Amino acid sequence: MKKKLIIANWKMNLSIRQGVKNIQTLYRECAKKKSKNTLVLCPDFTTLSCVSHFLKEKKKLFSLGAQDCFYESRGTYTGEISPQNLKELGCDYVIIGHSERRMILQESSDTISKKIHQAIFCGLIPIVCVGEQKLLSQKQGNNFLEKQILVSLNHISLSPSQSIVIAYEPVWAIGTGTSYHASCDPILLKTKIDFLKTIMLKKFGVHLAKRVSYIYGGSVTSKTSHAFIKEGTADGLLVGTASLDLKEFNEIIDSIV
Ligand code: PGA
């Protein structure tokens, strides 16, 4: 199987002490695994700076990602997070446009588009989240997704060494816990990924489209993870709640071999 992306989004759930402890535990466990997949851990900003210190001299067993960044790298922007500094901390990835930010902080696709540009400029791989707020008819859902993608990726260009990740995260499937039926059906996921691929190819051309990975997020558990990859054709997973439980998260990692 092609190398898959498994991304943990810890959101704002852990204390710094818990986050650092989880990273140290996962580091020891990853050292024992033979997984060829790419594991990305996205703790909150305060934890990121502590773990980057811990990981500095060590062999790279996983990548670090941030949960957001600002659309400028330097300047008088009180409270914002520079993508350039994230790169300096050792991040390779940054989540942009998560539905919690779109809804709670009213982040628009225009703002998200600027963040994506700046993240790419700073050498980060953006994990761009898209997804409908509620279950819609196929036509309505596709129209919604197309608009979200086109505005978010407005004027995007990638050099041959750059890539982006599109995370299909239907909002209705996020944070529902461990119920299989509350997450997206893998067959429905396949139709969404096919649609996103068609849009990317049509609007951005073959050179850009081939540097995009399509992943799924929304109540992923160790029981459903394999199906999203196999039947859902996802290139990877964005895992929230289940990534906080290290036993469960390890089972997710082991389910994708
Ligand atoms: P969840 O979160 O796995 O708890 O649904 C996923 C996400 O919000 O990225």
Side-chain angles (χ1 to χ4, degrees), residues 8 10 14-31 39-44 47-56 58 61-65 243-244 246 249:
W10 290 343
L14 301 175
S15 68
I16 296 179
R17 204 164 62 88
Q18 281 172 313
V20 172
K21 202 167 151 229
N22 279 7
I23 299 243
Q24 289 170 336
T25 309
L26 279 168
Y27 191 90
R28 279 195 304 275
E29 280 160 10
C30 284
L39 184 61
V40 184
L41 303 178
C42 304
D44 71 292
T47 307
L48 255 183
S49 59
C50 297
V51 293
S52 98
H53 180 71
F54 162 77
L55 294 170
K56 215 171 207 141
K58 292 195 158 50
L61 299 179
F62 48 71
S63 290
L64 286 178
S243 68
L244 296 167
L246 292 196
F249 189 52

Side-chain angles (χ1 to χ4, degrees), residues 9 11 98 100 169 173-176 218-220 238-241:
N9 177 11
K11 308 190 180 183
H98 191 281
E100 283 150 16
E169 291 210 309
I174 294 179
T176 62
S219 301
V220 173
L238 180 50
V239 190
T241 313

